Amino acid sequence: MTFPGSLDDRDAARAVTAAGAEPVVLWHGDRGLKGVDAVILPGGFSYGDYLRCGAIARFAPVMSDLVPAARAGLPVLGICNGFQILCEAHLLPGALTRNAGLRFINRDLPLRVENARTAWTRAYAGGERIVVPLKSGEGAYAADPGTLADLEASGAVVLRYAADNPNGSAAAIAGVCNADGNVVGLMPHPEHAVDPLTGPSADGLGFFTSVLTGVAA
Amino acid sequence: MTGPDLVAADTVERAAATAGQPQPYAELGLKQDEYEKILAILGRRPTAAELALYSVMWSEHCSYKSSKVHLRQFAEKAPPSGALLAGIGHNAGVVDIGQGYAVTFKIESHNHPSYVEPHQGAATGVGGIVRDILAMGARPIAVMDALRFGPAAAPDTARVLPGVVSGISFYGNCLGLPNIGGELDFDACYAGNPLVNALCVGVMQHGDLQVAEAHGPGNKVILFGSATGPDGVGGASVLASATFGDASAESAAKRPSVQVGDPFTEKLLIECCLELFAGGLVTGIQDLGAAGVACATTELAAAGTGGMAVRLDEVPLRDATLGPPEILMSESQERMMAVVEPGRVAEFLAVCAKWDVRAAVVGEVTGTGRLVMTWHGEPVVDIPAATAADGPVYTRPLARPAAQDELAASDPAALPRPAGGAGLRADLLALLASPGLADKSWVTDQYDRYVRGDTVLATPEDAGLIRVDEATGLGIALATDGNGRYCRLDPYLGTQLALGEAYRNVAATGARPLAVTNCLNFGSPEDPAVMWQFAEAVRGLADGCAVLGVPVTGGNVSFYNQTGTTPIHPTPVIGVLGVHDDVRRRPGIGFPAGAGPAALVLLGRTEPEFGGSAWAYVCHGHLGGRPPMPDLEAERRLAGLLAAAAAAGLLAAAHDLSEGGLAVALAESCLRGGVGCTVQLSGQLSGQLSGSLAGDPFTALFSESAGRCVVALQPGADEAFASLCAEYEVPAQNIGATGGGSLTVTDCFSVPLDELGAGHVRTLPELFG
Amino acid sequence: MPRMIVEVMLKQEIHDPQGEAIASACHRLGFGQVRGVRQGKRFEVELDGPADEAAVTAITQLARELLSNPVIEDFTLHADGT
Amino acid sequence: MPRMIVEVMLKQEIHDPQGEAIASACHRLGFGQVRGVRQGKRFEVELDGPADEAAVTAITQLARELLSNPVIEDFTLHADGT
Ligand SMILES: Nc1ncnc2c1ncn2[C@@H]1O[C@H](COP(=O)(O)OP(=O)(O)O)[C@@H](O)[C@H]1O
Ligand SMILES: [Mg+2]
């Protein structure tokens, strides 16, 4: 799904192809989801991220189709800016705030897959360590203490920073999911870790193959 | 208050009626003889708008009036190149890289604005160079940045550097362009004159080339992108006060000189332009840079049929109080100007609407040869377009300063050398921790290097490497280099050293160097000593390019980088572009981890050359003597060897030697790969030209002789590689092997990798937080 | 020109790294009396019509839906000059 | 706890693309009465002592040197509640 200012959309499409599926382009201004089996909201700076990351994109026309579909179980993955949009649209709990160091961070980071039962993480083993790049300026996950406790208790924390906490995220959270596990948001970019030629590893491919097992079934 | 429509425009008619009225030309930076030339061209005094237009078009920045006579050499001495599709004189040069692809690239300075307002100055610098690439018809695919600041610990550097880096990060990241490399260095000469040079590279198919020419009388002129505001028209205030009376002078005094970047609008502008090009809706296009509408209209007109009629009141404004001179001079960002056939205008505007890009038809191409601009129907500009586009040309006096000899006489051979292994070890650690050689992650972690998914190599590799074609592995490599210390000692040789280094960096990835861009950062051209430096640098570059067989395709000149009468070191920054036949076969600089030991080979000849070296500067605060002697023929053979060895799959790693010599290069390769090495400095040299390095570990480790590279070989590649070295006549010396957890120089010293990296990694975070 | 001012601050319980960074910079610069800083946003919304009750209702809605994120932020608003 | 409020806005003549982007989002969302938006910063500075004259002097200096960028921004300040 491309918004004005989406940047990693072609990379997400390439990762989908690498996983063996067919990417379909959805445009922010159009209505309807063209019958796709899953949706990826890519990284970037939708509308420049001028107000708050994702704040303006969540009002795009296509979102009025996406939100009910996601609530009804359609697998949706938000990466970076996509994660921010999903939080702004209240499909995922919490919010992403300014990095603790106040600087944009692009770094390859070790991560731990905390929940390998979601639509997007089935290909991994619980507790598995992967290396995937992070690249964001507002990636610090924040939520009130009650929400954080609920997330931990329900296993809604999908991904955690496994070494240093690079951006001051609460509980080193790098990704969360909704109660049904079909909507997942990640700050790191698995689509940039599908080929060691252009990324630090191929560890990110599992997110894109995971969702196919559900669809094929 | 006067309304916008009532702004008392100084019309052509009024100017003709008041032909003798004095004008504030000096305040606008025009010399008396230049003003007299304008009077002669027009046969009357210029209107305020005309004066504004000539003053910006004839500025050093736009007219290249002091540099033109020298830059000619780039064309005159250019080596024959089958790859050049468009050369100097265009927004950016265009190079054929095969398989139907063409690449365009250019580097440009935004030094002064970045000193005044570091974040916005640097951000708009990136925005400007990206539009230059876009104007050629290409999709921008990557950026680089070459930066110089004052002393790393100076308080003003703490203000300027973080702002510059955040500005580049903000704009480039938001545009979705990977940052694949650049430079960062510090020297007292840049305090008050930081250098912010931004490079952009774009890719297109051969047929996609666009021209900045207004042809076809009757064709429409469309201004699109951001609305025009008072940005950067501070200088226009003198015009306002001279011609408009007090009220508007007051508001003019508030005109900002700072431009604010809007990368989101630029991103939309990029996508919009590419769709316009693909639809064949554009016959000519020009980006709006420093001199805004003045420059775009005159250059388009002068390069085409010569005539254009523009209605300035049709320019979409952000501030309704702007009058004609300010509209002409405004440096508002994110704007482009296109020439469109009348029958295609509706389609053109529809594409703009799709991308939410504001567009307005502001005029027509004419066949008159004159640039005529009206303001609510009244002519306010009526000039022969070519006279503004072709500014004055000066042959400025130049003189080699006497101090140059004293500098050369201050030979670093006299400096005390480190005693024994412990001393060499300490100097290596000092070099690695010095701000200019320290780990740059504090800066480069703020740049997105992954976006677009085609980045194969980026900082801290020798060159950036971008895949262009996924099926074939075709790609491009890019590096920029410049060494102000070498150039201060000898601008001719220093510029060739910069060229050689960028060329070698590109070659180290296995790419074949193809073309050159350059940004020439110097002091005042009115100082004969600076002008001598400039002339020497240009001559050095043109001669060097001829030897290497790579043409200069474009560039930029930045003069007046000085504080009082003290200029910066002459700092030409040279960018080299290479083509890579298969990016999958690229060695990186990191020693291979997880494999067995790899044989290390040092390529090239090492002489005791310490003039301008990092060792002399860091360990002794010394700058003097002669810079290393470049040997560009040898450089060319080395590049041939590296490309052949990479293509044959013989290289596990390759890293060129530059500042800090062999010692620093080995340390960087160890740290990058997380693997140590053990080297002996007594190995036999295969070439016949130079003696062994045994007995002089100091020179072996820290000399900065040019044309050298260290490579780690794939298992079993030794023989094949040795015969390639013989074939390309490159001296090669086996110096040891990779492996272990430390950098060990046999019989000299050993440093565990942790210790090697500790100071290296800590320096910039400690300085900048 | 009638204007409404919307002020958006992070909720007390949400961590504010910008504010903290500024507070520690204050101390480094010798402003010891600064105990803490919180950074928020301020919007000046220029209106086409008067800042009457209808406008307040509309801008309140705007502040809630667009200008702030209720998950982490609170907002207040007032007409300019009040 | 005594607090000073520092408000930092871009100077009128400086281009504010963020504000423009927000204004056009307002229009898309149906808030047609919004003519323009300018976005700035708001700092709540908590003081150790009273918000007296000495504090005002210090915080004014702080606002000028750290909280705002005088090249492109203006600031105002007041004690909280005033
Ligand atoms: N140092 C240089 N070497 C080669 N070409 C240069 C140099 N400086 C400027 N040029 C060329 O002169 C032309 C005009 O430059 P410039 O006015 O900066 O272009 P633009 O306005 O498109 O940025 C361009 O083709 C540019 O490449
Ligand atoms: Mg140009």
Side-chain angles (χ1 to χ4, degrees):
Chain A
M1 187 172 282
T2 299
F3 300 89
S6 292
L7 304 175
D8 303 274
D9 43 349
R10 66 197 291 272
D11 311 294
R14 187 188 273 135
V16 166
T17 307
E22 181 202 346
V24 175
V25 175
L26 298 177
W27 179 242
H28 74 108
D30 294 343
R31 294 296 307 260
L33 300 176
K34 298 192 185 168
V36 297
D37 296 310
V39 171
I40 298 173
L41 272 55
F45 290 73
S46 55
Y47 298 93
D49 279 353
Y50 283 164
L51 173 57
R52 274 183 325 279
C53 300
I56 299 180
R58 84 133 148 141
F59 293 105
V62 72
M63 290 299 285
S64 16
D65 298 310
L66 182 75
V67 171
R71 295 227 154 93
L74 181 75
V76 177
L77 176 66
I79 303 170
C80 195
N81 195 231
F83 186 11
Q84 294 160 338
I85 296 170
L86 292 176
C87 288
E88 285 282 342
H90 309 306
L91 285 171
L92 289 173
L96 283 312
T97 60
R98 196 82 194 272
N99 288 349
L102 307 185
R103 290 189 294 274
F104 188 97
I105 298 172
N106 178 5
R107 215 178 283 158
D108 303 334
L109 289 173
L111 306 166
R112 197 168 54 244
V113 180
E114 300 282 18
N115 178 344
R117 297 175 313 279
T118 76
W120 297 93
T121 52
R122 280 190 280 253
Y124 296 98
E128 189 173 338
R129 254 174 96 101
I130 59 176
V131 173
V132 168
L134 176 78
K135 50 185 191 90
S136 44
E138 302 197 10
Y141 186 77
D144 59 71
T147 305
L148 288 173
D150 289 350
L151 287 173
E152 299 286 359
S154 64
V157 176
V158 176
L159 208 58
R160 229 187 279 270
Y161 301 108
D164 304 337
N165 181 343
N167 51 22
S169 286
I173 291 172
V176 300
C177 64
N178 65 350
D180 293 334
N182 65 307
V183 181
V184 169
L186 312 170
M187 269 333 277
H189 285 261
E191 82 282 22
H192 288 297
V194 297
D195 180 353
L197 181 67
T198 51
S201 70
D203 294 353
L205 197 57
F207 288 91
F208 306 93
T209 54
S210 288
V211 72
L212 297 182
T213 61
V215 167
Chain B
M1 241 194 82
T2 47
D5 299 0
L6 302 177
V7 168
D10 186 28
T11 60
V12 169
E13 191 183 347
R14 193 170 130 194
T18 55
Q21 186 179 308
Q23 296 293 304
Y25 63 85
E27 290 88 334
L28 289 171
L30 286 166
K31 298 280 184 309
Q32 188 180 340
D33 57 332
E34 291 172 341
Y35 183 65
E36 278 162 10
K37 215 158 144 188
I38 297 171
L39 294 178
I41 290 168
L42 299 179
R44 57 170 163 78
R45 74 159 173 92
T47 64
E50 287 166 342
L51 190 60
L53 190 147
Y54 277 106
S55 75
V56 292
M57 290 307 295
W58 287 9
S59 69
E60 186 64 54
H61 183 80
C62 289
S63 71
Y64 290 85
K65 56 189 169 189
S66 305
S67 55
K68 234 178 210 166
V69 293
H70 299 282
L71 299 181
R72 275 180 200 142
Q73 291 169 71
F74 295 148
E76 289 162 4
K77 296 181 182 172
S81 164
L84 203 59
L85 300 177
I88 292 179
H90 295 266
N91 282 312
V94 182
V95 181
D96 178 11
I97 61 161
Q99 298 177 19
Y101 292 104
V103 168
T104 176
F105 73 125
K106 187 178 171 193
I107 185 165
E108 203 160 71
S109 65
H110 225 215
N111 302 340
H112 184 66
S114 301
Y115 181 65
V116 175
E117 186 1 64
H119 178 89
Q120 294 296 346
T124 52
V126 174
I129 189 66
V130 167
R131 286 192 299 281
D132 260 326
I133 296 307
L134 181 62
M136 296 306 296
R139 172 178 282 281
I141 58 164
V143 295
M144 301 175 82
D145 57 312
L147 310 178
R148 302 288 186 284
F149 299 99
D156 199 48
T157 302
R159 169 186 76 93
V160 178
L161 182 144
V164 163
V165 172
S166 73
I168 294 169
S169 157
F170 160 69
Y171 207 101
N173 294 354
C174 196
L175 275 189
L177 294 177
N179 186 308
I180 57 169
E183 298 167 77
L184 173 63
D185 205 355
F186 303 87
D187 190 287
C189 72
Y190 305 112
N193 297 282
L195 303 186
V196 176
N197 292 181
L199 178 150
C200 182
V201 57
V203 175
M204 63 185 132
Q205 299 286 322
H206 280 185
D208 296 343
L209 187 62
Q210 297 289 333
V211 293
E213 297 168 4
H215 287 290
N219 281 345
K220 299 293 178 187
V221 178
I222 300 182
L223 181 62
F224 61 118
S226 289
T228 298
D231 317 82
V233 296
S237 54
V238 292
L239 267 177
S241 55
T243 41
F244 301 146
D246 291 340
S248 51
E250 226 169 79
S251 74
K254 281 210 235 106
R255 300 296 190 211
S257 52
V258 175
Q259 315 137 28
V260 172
D262 180 359
F264 175 57
T265 294
E266 180 123 321
K267 167 72 179 164
L268 298 181
L269 198 55
I270 291 172
E271 300 303 333
C272 176
C273 280
L274 292 172
E275 192 168 327
L276 292 169
F277 299 153
L281 301 177
V282 170
T283 72
I285 187 155
Q286 172 74 298
D287 58 294
L288 273 72
V293 172
C295 184
T297 50
T298 42
E299 289 192 351
L300 280 169
T305 36
M308 193 184 283
V310 178
R311 294 175 297 278
L312 284 176
D313 44 296
E314 304 273 3
V315 171
L317 297 182
R318 214 174 61 232
D319 173 344
T321 66
L322 299 186
E326 293 161 310
I327 292 170
L328 285 171
M329 291 171 101
S330 165
E331 297 186 348
S332 286
Q333 300 291 297
E334 292 93 23
R335 296 179 298 165
M336 305 282 280
M337 185 171 277
V339 179
V340 181
E341 288 169 14
R344 313 301 300 270
V345 168
E347 279 172 88
F348 185 103
L349 297 178
V351 172
C352 291
K354 170 182 168 190
W355 289 102
D356 225 346
V357 167
R358 195 184 275 108
V361 177
V362 298
E364 287 87 33
V365 178
T366 67
T368 62
R370 295 187 78 82
L371 180 61
V372 178
M373 300 191 184
T374 54
W375 180 248
H376 299 284
E378 296 285 330
V380 291
V381 169
D382 187 352
I383 62 169
T387 61
D390 305 333
V393 177
Y394 295 134
T395 304
R396 302 247 187 221
L398 47 88
R400 181 174 185 276
Q404 208 65 35
D405 291 327
E406 288 162 38
L407 203 55
S410 169
D411 193 334
L415 298 172
R417 298 188 170 192
L424 291 167
R425 187 183 195 275
D427 280 4
L428 170 58
L429 293 178
L431 280 169
L432 287 173
S434 67
L437 294 178
D439 177 83
K440 307 292 194 302
S441 304
W442 189 92
V443 170
T444 54
D445 278 2
Q446 297 186 50
Y447 303 150
D448 184 347
R449 61 183 171 276
Y450 286 117
V451 65
R452 298 190 59 74
D454 286 314
T455 307
V456 178
L457 297 174
T459 345
E461 297 290 337
D462 280 338
L465 180 62
I466 296 275
R467 178 176 61 188
V468 170
D469 190 292
E470 225 172 314
T472 64
L474 180 73
I476 51 171
L478 271 158
T480 72
D481 280 293
N483 186 317
R485 290 195 304 270
Y486 291 164
C487 290
R488 177 75 179 84
L489 297 181
D490 187 325
Y492 180 89
L493 296 179
T495 305
Q496 293 196 339
L497 285 162
L499 169 68
E501 188 181 343
Y503 180 92
R504 191 162 69 244
N505 278 320
V506 162
T509 69
R512 285 177 287 118
L514 267 194
V516 173
T517 186
N518 67 98
C519 189
L520 304 175
N521 304 280
F522 286 78
S524 166
E526 295 161 48
D527 175 347
V530 169
M531 215 48 220
W532 172 79
Q533 293 173 331
F534 182 80
E536 286 295 284
V538 170
R539 191 169 67 85
L541 182 57
D543 290 349
C545 287
V547 176
L548 291 176
V550 285
V552 173
T553 65
N556 173 250
V557 176
S558 173
F559 278 131
Y560 298 102
N561 296 286
Q562 61 181 49
T563 303
T565 56
T566 311
I568 60 166
H569 288 340
T571 314
V573 172
I574 313 298
V576 171
L577 172 92
V579 61
H580 207 296
D581 294 324
D582 186 355
V583 295
R584 291 162 292 204
R585 291 178 178 252
R586 78 332 177 168
I589 67 166
F591 289 153
L600 287 178
V601 181
L602 172 61
L603 302 171
R605 293 194 304 132
T606 304
E607 305 289 343
E609 292 180 298
F610 290 94
S613 67
W615 175 79
Y617 179 70
V618 171
C619 299
H620 294 281
H622 178 269
L623 175 61
R626 315 273 312 160
M629 185 52 69
D631 178 347
L632 296 175
E633 292 288 0
E635 204 76 73
R636 199 173 175 166
R637 290 193 301 273
L638 176 66
L641 166 66
L642 290 166
L650 306 180
L651 303 179
H655 189 13
D656 93 299
L657 270 54
S658 55
E659 277 189 290
L662 177 64
V664 166
L666 289 173
E668 288 170 346
S669 289
C670 286
L671 292 170
R672 176 74 172 152
V675 173
C677 67
T678 300
V679 302
Q680 300 86 34
L681 299 176
S682 53
Q684 279 308 112
L685 202 61
S686 67
Q688 66 284 43
L689 292 166
S690 169
S692 135
L693 299 176
D696 185 4
F698 169 74
T699 297
L701 289 170
F702 295 118
S703 163
E704 295 185 5
S705 292
R708 296 181 304 158
C709 190
V710 62
V711 297
L713 299 181
Q714 295 286 6
D718 304 43
E719 260 179 47
F721 186 71
S723 69
L724 275 184
C725 291
E727 182 186 336
Y728 284 90
E729 295 173 52
V730 174
Q733 182 177 2
N734 294 314
I735 56 168
T738 65
S742 58
L743 167 54
T744 300
V745 181
T746 305
D747 298 332
C748 209
F749 65 80
S750 180
V751 194
L753 293 195
D754 295 352
E755 190 183 349
L756 199 63
H760 188 56
V761 169
R762 224 185 295 123
T763 301
L764 294 189
E766 275 179 3
L767 283 163
F768 302 109
Chain C
M1 191 74 57
R3 286 200 306 192
M4 304 272 312
I5 308 297
V6 179
E7 294 167 351
V8 177
M9 300 298 293
L10 280 177
K11 290 184 176 169
Q12 272 315 322
E13 68 269 25
I14 301 288
H15 183 77
D16 175 14
Q18 308 200 60
E20 282 172 20
I22 292 165
S24 57
C26 290
H27 296 156
R28 276 200 308 281
L29 293 178
F31 295 92
Q33 66 272 63
V34 173
R35 175 183 279 242
V37 176
R38 291 189 70 83
Q39 175 171 349
K41 295 176 190 154
R42 182 172 185 278
F43 300 93
E44 295 181 357
V45 181
E46 218 170 88
L47 299 174
D48 244 348
D52 55 11
E53 214 173 301
V56 170
T57 311
I59 303 307
T60 305
Q61 193 193 340
L62 182 69
R64 189 179 319 113
E65 289 184 7
L66 182 69
L67 300 181
S68 74
N69 176 354
V71 176
I72 50 168
E73 294 168 330
D74 293 321
F75 69 89
T76 59
L77 86 176
H78 57 265
D80 196 12
T82 64
Chain D
M1 191 74 58
R3 286 202 304 194
M4 304 272 312
I5 308 297
V6 180
E7 293 168 350
V8 177
M9 300 297 295
L10 278 178
K11 291 183 180 173
Q12 264 322 315
E13 66 271 22
I14 298 283
H15 185 193
D16 177 12
Q18 309 208 38
E20 285 177 16
I22 296 167
S24 54
C26 292
H27 296 157
R28 280 198 305 277
L29 293 181
F31 294 91
Q33 66 272 64
V34 173
R35 177 183 277 244
V37 176
R38 290 184 74 84
Q39 174 174 346
K41 295 177 193 149
R42 182 170 185 278
F43 299 92
E44 295 179 357
V45 183
E46 219 169 87
L47 299 175
D48 243 347
D52 56 11
E53 214 173 300
V56 171
T57 311
I59 303 307
T60 304
Q61 194 191 339
L62 181 70
R64 189 179 316 115
E65 291 180 6
L66 186 67
L67 302 181
S68 75
N69 174 354
V71 178
I72 53 174
E73 292 170 330
D74 292 322
F75 69 90
T76 59
L77 86 178
H78 58 267
D80 197 11
T82 64

